[in-house]
Coordinates of all heavy atoms in Angstrom, one line a residue:
Chain A
V1323 N 16.3 -0.3 -12.3 CA 15.3 0.1 -13.3 C 14.5 1.3 -12.9 O 14.1 1.4 -11.8 CB 14.4 -1.1 -13.6 CG1 13.2 -0.7 -14.4 CG2 15.2 -2.2 -14.4
T1324 N 14.3 2.3 -13.8 CA 13.5 3.4 -13.5 C 12.3 3.4 -14.5 O 12.5 3.2 -15.7 CB 14.2 4.7 -13.7 OG1 15.4 4.7 -12.8 CG2 13.4 6.0 -13.4
S1325 N 11.1 3.5 -14.0 CA 9.9 3.5 -14.8 C 9.3 4.9 -14.9 O 9.7 5.8 -14.2 CB 8.8 2.6 -14.2 OG 8.2 3.2 -13.1
S1326 N 8.3 5.0 -15.8 CA 7.6 6.3 -16.0 C 6.8 6.6 -14.8 O 6.4 7.8 -14.6 CB 6.7 6.2 -17.2 OG 5.5 5.4 -16.9
G1327 N 6.5 5.6 -13.9 CA 5.8 5.9 -12.7 C 5.3 4.5 -12.2 O 5.3 3.5 -12.9
R1328 N 4.9 4.5 -11.0 CA 4.4 3.2 -10.4 C 2.9 3.0 -10.8 O 2.2 3.9 -11.2 CB 4.5 3.2 -8.9 CG 3.7 4.3 -8.2 CD 3.9 4.4 -6.7 NE 5.1 5.2 -6.5 CZ 5.4 5.7 -5.2 NH1 4.7 5.4 -4.2 NH2 6.5 6.4 -5.1
T1329 N 2.5 1.7 -10.7 CA 1.1 1.3 -10.8 C 0.8 0.5 -9.6 O 1.6 -0.1 -9.0 CB 0.8 0.5 -12.1 OG1 1.8 -0.6 -12.2 CG2 1.0 1.4 -13.4
D1330 N -0.5 0.6 -9.2 CA -0.9 -0.1 -8.0 C -1.1 -1.6 -8.2 O -1.2 -2.1 -9.3 CB -2.3 0.5 -7.5 CG -2.1 1.7 -6.6 OD1 -1.0 1.9 -6.2 OD2 -3.1 2.3 -6.3
A1331 N -1.3 -2.3 -7.1 CA -1.6 -3.7 -7.1 C -2.8 -4.0 -8.0 O -3.9 -3.3 -7.9 CB -1.9 -4.3 -5.7
G1332 N -2.7 -4.9 -8.9 CA -3.9 -5.3 -9.8 C -4.0 -4.5 -11.0 O -4.8 -4.8 -11.9
V1333 N -3.3 -3.3 -11.1 CA -3.4 -2.4 -12.3 C -2.5 -3.0 -13.4 O -1.4 -3.5 -13.1 CB -3.0 -1.0 -11.9 CG1 -2.9 -0.1 -13.2 CG2 -4.0 -0.4 -10.9
H1334 N -2.9 -2.9 -14.6 CA -2.2 -3.5 -15.7 C -1.4 -2.4 -16.5 O -1.7 -1.2 -16.3 CB -3.2 -4.2 -16.7 CG -4.1 -5.1 -16.0 ND1 -3.7 -6.3 -15.4 CD2 -5.5 -5.0 -15.8 CE1 -4.8 -6.9 -14.9 NE2 -5.8 -6.1 -15.1
A1335 N -0.5 -2.8 -17.3 CA 0.2 -1.9 -18.2 C 0.2 -2.5 -19.6 O 0.6 -3.7 -19.8 CB 1.5 -1.6 -17.7
I1336 N -0.1 -1.7 -20.6 CA 0.0 -2.0 -22.0 C 1.3 -1.4 -22.5 O 2.1 -1.9 -23.3 CB -1.2 -1.5 -22.8 CG1 -2.4 -2.2 -22.5 CG2 -0.9 -1.6 -24.3 CD1 -2.7 -3.6 -23.2
G1337 N 1.6 -0.1 -22.0 CA 2.7 0.6 -22.6 C 3.5 1.3 -21.5 O 3.8 2.5 -21.7
Q1338 N 3.8 0.6 -20.5 CA 4.8 1.2 -19.5 C 6.1 1.3 -20.1 O 6.5 0.6 -21.0 CB 4.9 0.2 -18.3 CG 5.9 0.5 -17.2 CD 5.5 1.7 -16.4 OE1 5.7 2.9 -16.9 NE2 5.1 1.5 -15.2
V1339 N 6.9 2.3 -19.7 CA 8.2 2.6 -20.2 C 9.2 2.6 -19.0 O 9.0 3.2 -18.0 CB 8.3 3.9 -21.0 CG1 9.7 4.2 -21.5 CG2 7.4 3.8 -22.2
I1340 N 10.3 1.9 -19.3 CA 11.4 1.9 -18.2 C 12.7 2.2 -18.9 O 12.9 2.1 -20.1 CB 11.5 0.5 -17.6 CG1 11.9 -0.6 -18.7 CG2 10.3 0.1 -16.8 CD1 12.3 -1.9 -18.1
H1341 N 13.7 2.6 -18.1 CA 15.0 2.8 -18.6 C 16.1 2.2 -17.6 O 15.7 2.0 -16.5 CB 15.4 4.2 -18.9 CG 15.9 5.0 -17.8 ND1 15.1 6.0 -17.2 CD2 17.1 5.0 -17.1 CE1 15.8 6.6 -16.2 NE2 17.0 6.0 -16.1
F1342 N 17.2 1.8 -18.2 CA 18.3 1.3 -17.3 C 19.6 1.4 -18.1 O 19.6 1.7 -19.3 CB 18.1 -0.2 -16.8 CG 17.9 -1.1 -17.9 CD1 19.0 -1.8 -18.5 CD2 16.6 -1.4 -18.4 CE1 18.8 -2.7 -19.5 CE2 16.4 -2.3 -19.4 CZ 17.5 -3.0 -20.0
D1343 N 20.7 1.3 -17.4 CA 22.0 1.4 -18.1 C 22.6 0.0 -18.2 O 22.5 -0.8 -17.2 CB 23.0 2.3 -17.3 CG 22.5 3.7 -17.3 OD1 22.0 4.2 -18.4 OD2 22.5 4.4 -16.3
T1344 N 23.3 -0.3 -19.3 CA 23.8 -1.6 -19.4 C 25.2 -1.6 -20.1 O 25.5 -0.7 -21.0 CB 22.9 -2.5 -20.3 OG1 23.5 -3.8 -20.5 CG2 22.6 -1.9 -21.7
S1345 N 26.0 -2.5 -19.7 CA 27.4 -2.6 -20.4 C 27.4 -3.9 -21.3 O 28.4 -4.2 -21.9 CB 28.4 -2.8 -19.3 OG 28.1 -3.9 -18.4
L1346 N 26.2 -4.5 -21.4 CA 26.2 -5.7 -22.3 C 26.2 -5.3 -23.7 O 25.7 -4.3 -24.2 CB 24.8 -6.5 -22.1 CG 24.6 -7.3 -20.8 CD1 23.4 -8.2 -20.9 CD2 25.9 -8.2 -20.5
Q1347 N 26.9 -6.2 -24.5 CA 27.1 -5.9 -25.9 C 26.1 -6.8 -26.7 O 26.5 -7.6 -27.5 CB 28.5 -6.3 -26.4 CG 29.6 -5.5 -25.6 CD 29.6 -4.0 -25.9 OE1 29.3 -3.6 -27.0 NE2 29.9 -3.2 -24.9
I1348 N 24.8 -6.6 -26.5 CA 23.8 -7.3 -27.2 C 23.2 -6.4 -28.3 O 22.9 -5.2 -28.0 CB 22.6 -7.8 -26.3 CG1 23.1 -8.5 -25.1 CG2 21.6 -8.6 -27.1 CD1 22.0 -8.9 -24.1
P1349 N 23.2 -6.8 -29.6 CA 22.5 -6.0 -30.6 C 21.1 -5.6 -30.1 O 20.4 -6.5 -29.6 CB 22.5 -6.8 -31.9 CG 23.5 -7.9 -31.6 CD 23.6 -8.1 -30.1
L1350 N 20.7 -4.4 -30.4 CA 19.3 -3.9 -29.9 C 18.2 -4.9 -30.2 O 17.3 -5.1 -29.4 CB 19.0 -2.5 -30.4 CG 19.6 -1.4 -29.5 CD1 19.2 -0.1 -30.2 CD2 19.1 -1.5 -28.1
E1351 N 18.2 -5.4 -31.4 CA 17.1 -6.2 -31.9 C 17.0 -7.5 -31.2 O 16.0 -8.2 -31.2 CB 17.1 -6.4 -33.4 CG 18.3 -7.2 -34.0 CD 19.6 -6.3 -34.2 OE1 19.7 -5.2 -33.6 OE2 20.5 -6.8 -34.8
R1352 N 18.1 -7.9 -30.6 CA 18.1 -9.2 -29.8 C 17.7 -9.0 -28.4 O 17.4 -10.0 -27.6 CB 19.5 -9.8 -29.9 CG 19.9 -10.2 -31.2 CD 20.3 -11.7 -31.2 NE 21.3 -11.9 -32.3 CZ 22.5 -12.2 -32.1 NH1 23.0 -12.4 -30.8 NH2 23.4 -12.4 -33.1
W1353 N 17.7 -7.8 -27.9 CA 17.4 -7.5 -26.5 C 16.1 -8.0 -26.0 O 16.0 -8.7 -25.0 CB 17.5 -5.9 -26.2 CG 18.7 -5.6 -25.4 CD1 19.8 -5.0 -25.9 CD2 18.9 -5.7 -24.1 NE1 20.7 -4.8 -24.9 CE2 20.2 -5.2 -23.7 CE3 18.2 -6.3 -23.0 CZ2 20.7 -5.3 -22.5 CZ3 18.7 -6.3 -21.7 CH2 20.0 -5.8 -21.4
P1354 N 15.0 -7.8 -26.8 CA 13.7 -8.2 -26.3 C 13.7 -9.7 -26.0 O 13.2 -10.1 -24.9 CB 12.7 -7.9 -27.4 CG 13.3 -6.7 -28.0 CD 14.8 -7.0 -28.0
N1355 N 14.1 -10.6 -26.9 CA 14.2 -12.0 -26.7 C 15.0 -12.4 -25.5 O 14.6 -13.2 -24.7 CB 14.6 -12.7 -27.9 CG 13.5 -12.8 -29.0 OD1 12.4 -12.6 -28.7 ND2 13.9 -13.2 -30.2
A1356 N 16.2 -11.7 -25.4 CA 17.1 -12.1 -24.3 C 16.4 -11.7 -22.9 O 16.4 -12.5 -22.0 CB 18.4 -11.3 -24.4
F1357 N 15.8 -10.5 -22.9 CA 15.2 -10.0 -21.7 C 14.0 -10.9 -21.3 O 13.8 -11.4 -20.2 CB 14.8 -8.6 -21.9 CG 14.6 -7.7 -20.7 CD1 14.5 -6.4 -20.8 CD2 14.5 -8.3 -19.4 CE1 14.2 -5.6 -19.6 CE2 14.3 -7.5 -18.3 CZ 14.1 -6.1 -18.4
N1358 N 13.1 -11.1 -22.3 CA 11.9 -11.9 -22.1 C 12.2 -13.4 -21.6 O 11.5 -13.9 -20.8 CB 11.0 -12.0 -23.4 CG 10.2 -10.7 -23.6 OD1 9.7 -10.1 -22.6 ND2 10.2 -10.3 -24.8
A1359 N 13.3 -13.9 -22.1 CA 13.7 -15.3 -21.7 C 13.9 -15.4 -20.2 O 13.8 -16.4 -19.6 CB 14.9 -15.7 -22.4
C1360 N 14.3 -14.2 -19.5 CA 14.6 -14.2 -18.1 C 13.4 -13.7 -17.3 O 13.4 -13.7 -16.1 CB 15.7 -13.3 -17.8 SG 17.3 -13.9 -18.5
L1361 N 12.3 -13.3 -18.0 CA 11.1 -12.8 -17.2 C 10.0 -13.8 -17.1 O 9.9 -14.7 -17.9 CB 10.6 -11.6 -18.0 CG 11.4 -10.3 -17.9 CD1 10.9 -9.2 -18.9 CD2 11.2 -9.7 -16.5
P1362 N 9.2 -13.6 -16.1 CA 8.0 -14.5 -16.0 C 7.0 -14.1 -17.1 O 7.1 -13.1 -17.7 CB 7.4 -14.2 -14.6 CG 7.9 -12.8 -14.3 CD 9.3 -12.7 -15.0
N1363 N 6.0 -15.0 -17.3 CA 5.1 -14.9 -18.4 C 4.1 -13.7 -18.3 O 3.5 -13.3 -19.2 CB 4.2 -16.1 -18.6 CG 5.1 -17.3 -19.1 OD1 6.0 -17.0 -19.8 ND2 4.7 -18.5 -18.9
D1364 N 4.0 -13.1 -17.1 CA 3.1 -12.0 -16.9 C 3.7 -10.7 -17.2 O 3.1 -9.6 -16.9 CB 2.3 -12.0 -15.6 CG 3.1 -12.3 -14.4 OD1 4.3 -12.5 -14.5 OD2 2.5 -12.4 -13.3
I1365 N 5.0 -10.7 -17.6 CA 5.6 -9.4 -18.0 C 6.2 -9.7 -19.4 O 6.7 -10.7 -19.7 CB 6.8 -9.0 -17.1 CG1 6.4 -8.9 -15.7 CG2 7.5 -7.7 -17.6 CD1 7.5 -8.5 -14.7
H1366 N 6.0 -8.7 -20.3 CA 6.6 -8.8 -21.7 C 7.2 -7.6 -22.2 O 6.6 -6.5 -22.1 CB 5.5 -9.3 -22.7 CG 6.0 -9.7 -24.0 ND1 6.5 -11.0 -24.2 CD2 6.2 -9.0 -25.1 CE1 6.9 -11.0 -25.5 NE2 6.8 -9.8 -26.0
I1367 N 8.4 -7.7 -22.7 CA 9.2 -6.6 -23.3 C 8.8 -6.6 -24.8 O 9.1 -7.5 -25.4 CB 10.7 -6.7 -23.1 CG1 11.0 -7.0 -21.6 CG2 11.5 -5.6 -23.7 CD1 10.8 -5.8 -20.7
H1368 N 8.2 -5.5 -25.3 CA 7.9 -5.4 -26.7 C 9.0 -4.8 -27.5 O 9.1 -5.2 -28.7 CB 6.6 -4.6 -26.8 CG 5.4 -5.2 -26.2 ND1 4.7 -6.2 -26.8 CD2 4.8 -5.0 -25.0 CE1 3.7 -6.6 -26.0 NE2 3.7 -5.8 -24.9
E1369 N 9.7 -3.9 -26.9 CA 10.7 -3.2 -27.7 C 11.8 -2.6 -26.8 O 11.5 -2.2 -25.7 CB 9.9 -2.1 -28.5 CG 10.6 -1.6 -29.7 CD 9.8 -0.5 -30.5 OE1 8.6 -0.5 -30.4 OE2 10.4 0.4 -31.1
V1370 N 13.0 -2.6 -27.3 CA 14.1 -2.0 -26.6 C 14.8 -1.0 -27.5 O 15.1 -1.3 -28.7 CB 15.1 -3.1 -26.1 CG1 16.3 -2.4 -25.4 CG2 14.4 -4.1 -25.2
R1371 N 14.9 0.3 -27.0 CA 15.5 1.3 -27.9 C 16.7 1.9 -27.2 O 16.7 2.1 -25.9 CB 14.4 2.5 -28.1 CG 13.2 2.0 -28.8 CD 13.4 1.8 -30.3 NE 13.8 3.0 -30.9 CZ 12.8 3.9 -31.3 NH1 11.6 3.6 -31.2 NH2 13.2 5.0 -31.9
S1372 N 17.7 2.3 -28.0 CA 18.8 3.0 -27.4 C 18.4 4.5 -27.2 O 17.7 5.1 -28.1 CB 19.9 2.9 -28.5 OG 21.0 3.9 -28.1
V1373 N 18.8 5.1 -26.1 CA 18.4 6.5 -25.8 C 19.7 7.2 -25.3 O 20.7 6.6 -25.0 CB 17.3 6.6 -24.8 CG1 15.9 6.1 -25.3 CG2 17.6 5.8 -23.5
E1374 N 19.6 8.6 -25.3 CA 20.6 9.4 -24.8 C 20.9 9.1 -23.3 O 20.0 8.8 -22.6 CB 20.2 10.9 -24.9 CG 20.0 11.4 -26.4 CD 21.3 11.3 -27.2 OE1 22.4 11.7 -26.7 OE2 21.3 10.7 -28.3
P1375 N 22.2 9.3 -22.9 CA 22.5 9.0 -21.5 C 21.7 9.8 -20.5 O 21.5 9.4 -19.3 CB 24.0 9.3 -21.4 CG 24.5 9.4 -22.7 CD 23.3 9.7 -23.6
Q1376 N 21.2 11.0 -20.9 CA 20.4 11.8 -20.0 C 18.9 11.5 -20.0 O 18.1 12.1 -19.3 CB 20.7 13.3 -20.2 CG 20.3 13.8 -21.6 CD 21.4 13.6 -22.6 OE1 22.3 12.7 -22.4 NE2 21.4 14.4 -23.6
F1377 N 18.4 10.5 -20.8 CA 17.0 10.2 -20.9 C 16.6 9.7 -19.6 O 17.3 8.9 -18.9 CB 16.8 9.1 -22.0 CG 15.3 8.6 -22.0 CD1 14.3 9.2 -22.7 CD2 15.0 7.4 -21.2 CE1 13.0 8.8 -22.7 CE2 13.7 7.0 -21.2 CZ 12.7 7.7 -21.9
H1378 N 15.4 10.1 -19.1 CA 14.8 9.6 -17.9 C 13.3 9.2 -18.0 O 12.5 10.1 -18.4 CB 15.0 10.7 -16.8 CG 14.8 10.2 -15.4 ND1 13.6 9.9 -14.9 CD2 15.7 9.9 -14.4 CE1 13.7 9.4 -13.6 NE2 15.0 9.5 -13.3
A1379 N 13.0 8.0 -17.8 CA 11.7 7.5 -18.0 C 10.6 8.2 -17.2 O 9.5 8.3 -17.7 CB 11.6 6.0 -17.7
R1380 N 11.0 8.7 -16.0 CA 10.0 9.4 -15.3 C 9.9 10.9 -15.6 O 8.9 11.5 -15.9 CB 10.1 9.2 -13.8 CG 9.1 9.9 -12.9 CD 8.7 9.2 -11.7 NE 9.8 9.1 -10.7 CZ 9.9 9.9 -9.7 NH1 8.9 10.7 -9.4 NH2 10.9 9.8 -8.8
F1381 N 11.1 11.6 -15.5 CA 11.1 13.0 -15.6 C 10.9 13.5 -17.0 O 10.5 14.7 -17.2 CB 12.5 13.6 -15.0 CG 12.7 13.2 -13.6 CD1 14.0 12.8 -13.1 CD2 11.7 13.2 -12.7 CE1 14.2 12.5 -11.8 CE2 11.9 12.9 -11.3 CZ 13.2 12.5 -10.9
D1382 N 11.1 12.7 -18.0 CA 11.0 13.2 -19.4 C 9.6 13.0 -19.9 O 9.3 13.4 -21.1 CB 12.0 12.4 -20.3 CG 13.4 12.9 -20.0 OD1 13.6 13.7 -19.2 OD2 14.3 12.3 -20.7

Side-chain angles (χ1 to χ4, degrees):
Chain A
V1323 162
T1324 301
S1325 75
S1326 74
R1328 65 186 81 170
T1329 51
D1330 271 353
V1333 174
H1334 311 291
I1336 293 275
Q1338 175 66 288
V1339 176
I1340 60 166
H1341 83 252
F1342 57 89
D1343 294 320
T1344 179
S1345 53
L1346 284 191
Q1347 303 293 327
I1348 307 180
L1350 272 180
E1351 65 277 15
R1352 295 236 208 109
W1353 253 104
N1355 283 347
F1357 200 169
N1358 282 320
C1360 296
L1361 282 168
N1363 286 336
D1364 47 359
I1365 306 181
H1366 190 84
I1367 306 294
H1368 294 282
E1369 201 176 332
V1370 177
R1371 299 285 296 275
S1372 167
V1373 291
E1374 297 295 312
Q1376 61 274 25
F1377 173 86
H1378 196 284
R1380 180 145 69 102
F1381 300 141
D1382 290 0

